[in-house]
Short mmCIF file of all heavy atoms in Angstrom, two decimals:
data_model
loop_
_atom_site.label_atom_id
_atom_site.label_comp_id
_atom_site.label_asym_id
_atom_site.label_seq_id
_atom_site.Cartn_x
_atom_site.Cartn_y
_atom_site.Cartn_z
N LEU P 179 124.99 99.08 117.06
CA LEU P 179 124.44 100.24 117.75
C LEU P 179 123.28 99.79 118.63
O LEU P 179 122.89 98.62 118.60
CB LEU P 179 123.98 101.29 116.74
CG LEU P 179 125.03 101.79 115.74
CD1 LEU P 179 124.41 102.78 114.76
CD2 LEU P 179 126.22 102.40 116.46
N GLU P 180 122.70 100.72 119.37
CA GLU P 180 121.63 100.34 120.30
C GLU P 180 120.39 99.84 119.59
O GLU P 180 119.57 99.11 120.18
CB GLU P 180 121.27 101.51 121.24
CG GLU P 180 120.77 102.76 120.52
CD GLU P 180 121.90 103.72 120.17
OE1 GLU P 180 123.06 103.28 120.07
OE2 GLU P 180 121.59 104.92 120.00
N ASP P 181 120.21 100.20 118.31
CA ASP P 181 119.04 99.74 117.56
C ASP P 181 119.42 98.72 116.50
O ASP P 181 118.71 98.53 115.51
CB ASP P 181 118.30 100.92 116.93
CG ASP P 181 119.22 101.79 116.07
OD1 ASP P 181 120.44 101.55 116.06
OD2 ASP P 181 118.70 102.71 115.41
N GLY P 182 120.56 98.05 116.67
CA GLY P 182 120.95 97.00 115.75
C GLY P 182 122.23 97.34 115.01
O GLY P 182 122.85 98.38 115.23
N VAL P 183 122.62 96.43 114.12
CA VAL P 183 123.85 96.62 113.35
C VAL P 183 123.62 97.66 112.25
O VAL P 183 122.61 97.63 111.54
CB VAL P 183 124.31 95.29 112.72
CG1 VAL P 183 125.54 95.50 111.84
CG2 VAL P 183 124.60 94.27 113.81
N ALA P 184 124.56 98.60 112.13
CA ALA P 184 124.52 99.61 111.07
C ALA P 184 125.83 99.55 110.31
O ALA P 184 126.89 99.26 110.87
CB ALA P 184 124.31 101.00 111.66
N ARG P 185 125.74 99.82 109.02
CA ARG P 185 126.95 99.80 108.20
C ARG P 185 126.82 100.80 107.06
O ARG P 185 125.70 101.12 106.63
CB ARG P 185 127.20 98.40 107.63
CG ARG P 185 126.08 97.86 106.76
CD ARG P 185 126.43 96.51 106.15
NE ARG P 185 126.82 95.53 107.13
CZ ARG P 185 125.97 94.78 107.83
NH1 ARG P 185 124.66 94.92 107.63
NH2 ARG P 185 126.39 93.91 108.71
N ALA P 186 127.94 101.29 106.63
CA ALA P 186 127.99 102.15 105.45
C ALA P 186 128.26 101.29 104.23
O ALA P 186 128.99 100.30 104.30
CB ALA P 186 129.09 103.20 105.61
N GLU P 187 127.66 101.66 103.11
CA GLU P 187 127.96 100.97 101.86
C GLU P 187 129.39 101.27 101.43
O GLU P 187 130.09 100.41 100.88
CB GLU P 187 126.99 101.41 100.77
CG GLU P 187 127.25 100.74 99.43
CD GLU P 187 126.22 101.15 98.40
OE1 GLU P 187 125.18 100.48 98.29
OE2 GLU P 187 126.46 102.14 97.69
N ARG P 188 129.82 102.49 101.71
CA ARG P 188 131.18 102.89 101.33
C ARG P 188 131.64 104.03 102.21
O ARG P 188 130.86 104.93 102.53
CB ARG P 188 131.22 103.34 99.87
CG ARG P 188 132.63 103.64 99.36
CD ARG P 188 132.62 104.09 97.90
NE ARG P 188 132.13 105.46 97.76
CZ ARG P 188 131.01 105.80 97.16
NH1 ARG P 188 130.23 104.87 96.62
NH2 ARG P 188 130.64 107.07 97.07
N VAL P 189 132.89 104.00 102.63
CA VAL P 189 133.49 105.13 103.35
C VAL P 189 134.89 105.34 102.79
O VAL P 189 135.63 104.38 102.58
CB VAL P 189 133.51 104.89 104.88
CG1 VAL P 189 134.26 103.63 105.25
CG2 VAL P 189 134.08 106.10 105.60
N ARG P 190 135.23 106.60 102.49
CA ARG P 190 136.50 106.92 101.87
C ARG P 190 137.15 108.11 102.58
O ARG P 190 136.48 109.05 103.02
CB ARG P 190 136.32 107.28 100.40
CG ARG P 190 135.82 106.13 99.53
CD ARG P 190 136.87 105.06 99.34
NE ARG P 190 136.41 103.98 98.47
CZ ARG P 190 135.80 102.88 98.89
NH1 ARG P 190 135.57 102.72 100.19
NH2 ARG P 190 135.42 101.95 98.04
N LEU P 191 138.46 108.05 102.68
CA LEU P 191 139.24 109.13 103.26
C LEU P 191 139.50 110.18 102.18
O LEU P 191 140.08 109.87 101.14
CB LEU P 191 140.56 108.57 103.79
CG LEU P 191 141.48 109.49 104.57
CD1 LEU P 191 140.83 109.94 105.87
CD2 LEU P 191 142.79 108.76 104.86
N LEU P 192 139.07 111.43 102.42
CA LEU P 192 139.25 112.49 101.43
C LEU P 192 140.38 113.44 101.79
O LEU P 192 141.10 113.93 100.91
CB LEU P 192 137.95 113.30 101.28
CG LEU P 192 136.73 112.54 100.78
CD1 LEU P 192 135.55 113.51 100.65
CD2 LEU P 192 137.00 111.85 99.45
N ARG P 193 140.53 113.72 103.08
CA ARG P 193 141.59 114.66 103.49
C ARG P 193 142.01 114.35 104.91
O ARG P 193 141.18 114.13 105.79
CB ARG P 193 141.09 116.10 103.40
CG ARG P 193 142.22 117.15 103.56
CD ARG P 193 141.72 118.56 103.36
NE ARG P 193 140.91 119.03 104.47
CZ ARG P 193 139.70 119.56 104.35
NH1 ARG P 193 139.15 119.68 103.16
NH2 ARG P 193 139.03 119.97 105.41
N VAL P 194 143.34 114.33 105.12
CA VAL P 194 143.88 114.08 106.46
C VAL P 194 144.20 115.42 107.10
O VAL P 194 144.43 116.42 106.41
CB VAL P 194 145.12 113.19 106.41
CG1 VAL P 194 144.77 111.84 105.79
CG2 VAL P 194 146.24 113.86 105.61
N PRO P 195 144.22 115.49 108.44
CA PRO P 195 144.48 116.76 109.11
C PRO P 195 145.92 117.23 108.92
O PRO P 195 146.85 116.43 108.84
CB PRO P 195 144.17 116.46 110.58
CG PRO P 195 144.33 114.98 110.71
CD PRO P 195 143.92 114.41 109.39
N ASP P 196 146.08 118.56 108.85
CA ASP P 196 147.42 119.14 108.75
C ASP P 196 148.17 119.06 110.08
O ASP P 196 149.40 119.01 110.12
CB ASP P 196 147.33 120.60 108.30
CG ASP P 196 146.76 120.72 106.89
OD1 ASP P 196 146.97 119.79 106.10
OD2 ASP P 196 146.10 121.74 106.60
N THR P 197 147.41 119.09 111.17
CA THR P 197 148.00 119.04 112.51
C THR P 197 147.21 118.04 113.35
O THR P 197 146.15 117.55 112.95
CB THR P 197 147.94 120.41 113.20
OG1 THR P 197 146.56 120.75 113.45
CG2 THR P 197 148.54 121.50 112.32
N ARG P 198 147.74 117.72 114.53
CA ARG P 198 147.04 116.79 115.41
C ARG P 198 145.67 117.31 115.83
O ARG P 198 144.77 116.54 116.13
CB ARG P 198 147.88 116.53 116.65
CG ARG P 198 149.12 115.68 116.40
CD ARG P 198 149.80 115.32 117.71
NE ARG P 198 150.95 114.45 117.48
CZ ARG P 198 151.70 113.97 118.45
NH1 ARG P 198 151.41 114.28 119.72
NH2 ARG P 198 152.73 113.19 118.19
N ALA P 199 145.52 118.63 115.83
CA ALA P 199 144.25 119.22 116.27
C ALA P 199 143.25 119.34 115.12
O ALA P 199 142.11 119.73 115.32
CB ALA P 199 144.49 120.60 116.87
#
Side-chain angles (χ1 to χ4, degrees):
L179 303 178
E180 60 269 23
D181 54 354
V183 176
R185 59 176 55 84
E187 180 177 270
R188 185 180 75 246
V189 58
R190 295 290 182 269
L191 187 64
L192 298 182
R193 191 175 73 232
V194 299
D196 296 330
T197 66
R198 288 187 177 182

